[in-house]
Amino acid sequence: MRIDRIRITDFRNIASLELALCPGANVIYGDNGQGKTNFIEAVWMCTGAKSFRGAKDAQLVRFGAPQAAVEAGFYAAGREQKALLTIEKRRAAALNEVPLKSAAELAGQFCAVVFSPAHLTLVKNGPQEKRRFIDTSICQIKPKYIHVLNQYTRVLDQRNRLLKDIMYETSLFDTLDIWDARLAAYGAVVIKTRATFLERLAPCAQEIYGGLAGGREKFGARYAPSLAVDPGASMSEIEQRALEDLRVHRGEDIRTRMTGAGPHRDDIDLTLDGQSARAFGSQGQQRSCVLALKLAECELIRETRGEYPVVLLDDVMSELDAARRDYLLNHLQGRQIIMTSCDGSDFKGLSSGVSVRIEDGRAAASSSHGMDSVKEQEE
């Protein structure tokens, strides 16, 4: 899978930008605030997912413009395709000039994996970011999982509203059984899907981390459900155990007016040599943990779809030593990479590819690689 050409209009600070990309490494570099991360974000939006920076759709439109647009010509599933994303207050999308019901329907059509410094919260912060990571990853491989997540969230909201109202209307108590059964059913699918995905992801991430770190530490990732369930059990066993757990803690839920356990509270334990990566990992080690998870996600997408996703790496070189930089630059063959940096010298070790210097949301110059031996050509 690769993007051959992308046109971006009125997206954040990018008024108009069109680039042809190579199938290998594409370096986007320039000073802070020039639009490098905005470019990465625009490419990511073509996956049908929301902004990885947590921005609302309306915030993506350049100030004073009526709408933003991202048009990507890409190769996937053995043929040339085109995705068009338009953004006003909400996103709309078309694939191969056929309008889609929602932008989310681009999921599974164009696939990408993104790393940005914001993703260090996977290690540094609580479980919410880890849940978002694993759910977004699964949705690219199994787009129907989006429906399961939406249904679980809808039922959870209904149950939580009921828990708030039941204090004042005790006749509502008997309806909890209905919502508990639905929540346990959808929750079991979410738990089992996440656990199965992580069972495949963890060994691959461990191997990649070993390559990044030169075998100096051993990385681990384990699914940690908040319910007293065994993620390795069958779907029906998980559902039954989840239902029992909801009933056991019903009194506590009524007191706190919220559902205290379930997939919406699950976590992923990340470790280095058996110790918490959050508590004991250095900045470089934590960054390597996230990179290992993201690159392992790449491998699982390739195994499932038969082709690598596009790899988006925003400001990836910060706080990585020379060995880890070399691994990223020259050991990711067979996939298209788009990476950003403030300093073009970060990529002197790149054996082949192209680079583009961004200024004020436009392409100011481009080069071919090896980067240190080619002179920039002004457009």
Side-chain angles (χ1 to χ4, degrees), residues 152 191 223-229 245 249 260-267:
Y152 178 82
I191 291 170
Y223 190 57
S226 57
L227 291 169
V229 300
D245 201 280
H249 293 93
H264 60 290
R265 294 292 183 90
D266 291 354
D267 199 356

Side-chain angles (χ1 to χ4, degrees), residues 221-346:
R222 182 184 65 85
Y223 190 57
S226 57
L227 291 169
V229 300
D230 176 10
S234 68
M235 191 84 73
S236 60
E237 290 173 328
I238 294 174
E239 180 179 347
Q240 182 59 38
R241 189 67 189 87
L243 184 58
E244 293 171 0
D245 201 280
L246 284 169
R247 289 171 177 166
V248 167
H249 293 93
R250 181 178 288 183
E252 179 68 12
D253 288 351
I254 291 173
R255 188 184 67 80
T256 60
R257 303 183 185 183
M258 66 174 59
T259 305
H264 60 290
R265 294 292 183 90
D266 291 354
D267 199 356
I268 301 172
D269 292 332
L270 303 177
T271 60
L272 292 173
D273 291 335
Q275 293 187 309
S276 167
R278 177 184 182 182
F280 298 102
S282 67
Q283 292 285 343
Q285 288 173 325
Q286 291 178 348
R287 186 171 289 250
S288 296
C289 288
V290 179
L291 283 168
L293 288 169
K294 295 287 185 175
L295 295 176
E297 180 189 355
C298 264
E299 294 296 333
L300 265 60
I301 292 175
R302 180 191 62 81
E303 289 176 10
T304 304
R305 300 183 57 86
E307 55 188 348
Y308 279 114
V310 175
V311 181
L312 307 174
L313 303 175
D314 183 36
D315 190 22
V316 71
M317 294 301 184
S318 301
E319 298 167 353
L320 294 182
D321 57 33
R324 295 176 203 241
R325 291 186 180 195
D326 177 71
Y327 183 91
L328 284 177
L329 290 174
N330 298 307
H331 292 77
L332 300 179
Q333 294 90 352
R335 67 206 86 181
Q336 185 181 53
I337 303 170
I338 303 173
M339 60 183 89
T340 70
S341 176
C342 291
D343 187 355
S345 65
D346 284 344

Side-chain angles (χ1 to χ4, degrees), residues 60-329:
L60 303 175
V61 181
R62 190 169 68 93
F63 183 75
Q67 69 172 21
V70 181
E71 183 178 344
F74 66 98
Y75 184 87
R79 62 193 179 103
E80 301 288 344
Q81 303 193 58
K82 183 171 72 172
L84 174 62
L85 183 76
T86 57
I87 309 169
E88 294 183 55
K89 292 183 179 179
R90 298 179 60 187
R91 293 169 294 152
L95 180 66
N96 301 322
E97 301 184 351
V98 177
L100 303 176
K101 292 180 181 179
S102 70
E105 289 191 355
L106 287 172
Q109 304 298 326
F110 171 75
C111 296
V113 171
V114 61
F115 169 87
S116 83
H119 289 122
L120 290 174
T121 55
L122 275 172
V123 180
K124 293 177 178 293
N125 290 2
Q128 183 177 356
E129 294 299 324
K130 299 172 197 173
R131 291 194 300 268
R132 183 180 293 118
F133 159 69
I134 197 170
D135 287 338
T136 302
S137 302
I138 294 169
C139 286
Q140 294 206 76
I141 295 173
K142 296 181 177 181
K144 291 183 179 180
Y145 181 66
I146 297 173
H147 173 73
V148 176
L149 282 177
N150 288 340
Q151 289 296 101
Y152 178 82
T153 301
R154 184 185 68 83
V155 174
L156 178 66
D157 289 342
Q158 291 281 359
R159 187 178 191 268
N160 285 340
R161 281 200 292 269
L162 181 60
L163 292 170
K164 291 179 174 67
D165 295 340
I166 212 168
M167 296 286 290
Y168 309 101
E169 187 59 59
T170 55
S171 62
L172 295 172
F173 186 88
D174 291 339
T175 62
L176 268 175
D177 285 339
I178 297 172
W179 295 110
D180 286 0
R182 293 179 181 176
L183 197 66
Y186 286 117
V189 178
V190 173
I191 291 170
K192 188 65 177 178
T193 304
R194 286 175 176 173
T196 301
F197 179 81
L198 195 59
E199 283 177 3
R200 296 174 57 200
L201 185 79
C204 187
Q206 186 179 98
E207 181 179 348
I208 292 170
Y209 187 95
L212 283 165
R216 292 189 295 271
E217 308 104 21
K218 185 176 181 180
F219 174 71
R222 182 184 65 85
Y223 190 57
S226 57
L227 291 169
V229 300
D230 176 10
S234 68
M235 191 84 73
S236 60
E237 290 173 328
I238 294 174
E239 180 179 347
Q240 182 59 38
R241 189 67 189 87
L243 184 58
E244 293 171 0
D245 201 280
L246 284 169
R247 289 171 177 166
V248 167
H249 293 93
R250 181 178 288 183
E252 179 68 12
D253 288 351
I254 291 173
R255 188 184 67 80
T256 60
R257 303 183 185 183
M258 66 174 59
T259 305
H264 60 290
R265 294 292 183 90
D266 291 354
D267 199 356
I268 301 172
D269 292 332
L270 303 177
T271 60
L272 292 173
D273 291 335
Q275 293 187 309
S276 167
R278 177 184 182 182
F280 298 102
S282 67
Q283 292 285 343
Q285 288 173 325
Q286 291 178 348
R287 186 171 289 250
S288 296
C289 288
V290 179
L291 283 168
L293 288 169
K294 295 287 185 175
L295 295 176
E297 180 189 355
C298 264
E299 294 296 333
L300 265 60
I301 292 175
R302 180 191 62 81
E303 289 176 10
T304 304
R305 300 183 57 86
E307 55 188 348
Y308 279 114
V310 175
V311 181
L312 307 174
L313 303 175
D314 183 36
D315 190 22
V316 71
M317 294 301 184
S318 301
E319 298 167 353
L320 294 182
D321 57 33
R324 295 176 203 241
R325 291 186 180 195
D326 177 71
Y327 183 91
L328 284 177
L329 290 174

Side-chain angles (χ1 to χ4, degrees), residues 19-76:
L19 288 181
L21 301 173
C22 78
N26 298 267
V27 177
I28 311 296
Y29 72 102
D31 294 337
N32 289 326
Q34 302 306 303
K36 303 184 301 297
T37 300
N38 296 341
F39 180 83
I40 292 287
E41 185 179 28
V43 175
W44 170 252
M45 299 296 290
C46 293
T47 65
K50 296 180 181 179
S51 165
F52 63 81
R53 301 158 84 180
K56 296 180 180 179
D57 290 343
Q59 295 173 321
L60 303 175
V61 181
R62 190 169 68 93
F63 183 75
Q67 69 172 21
V70 181
E71 183 178 344
F74 66 98
Y75 184 87

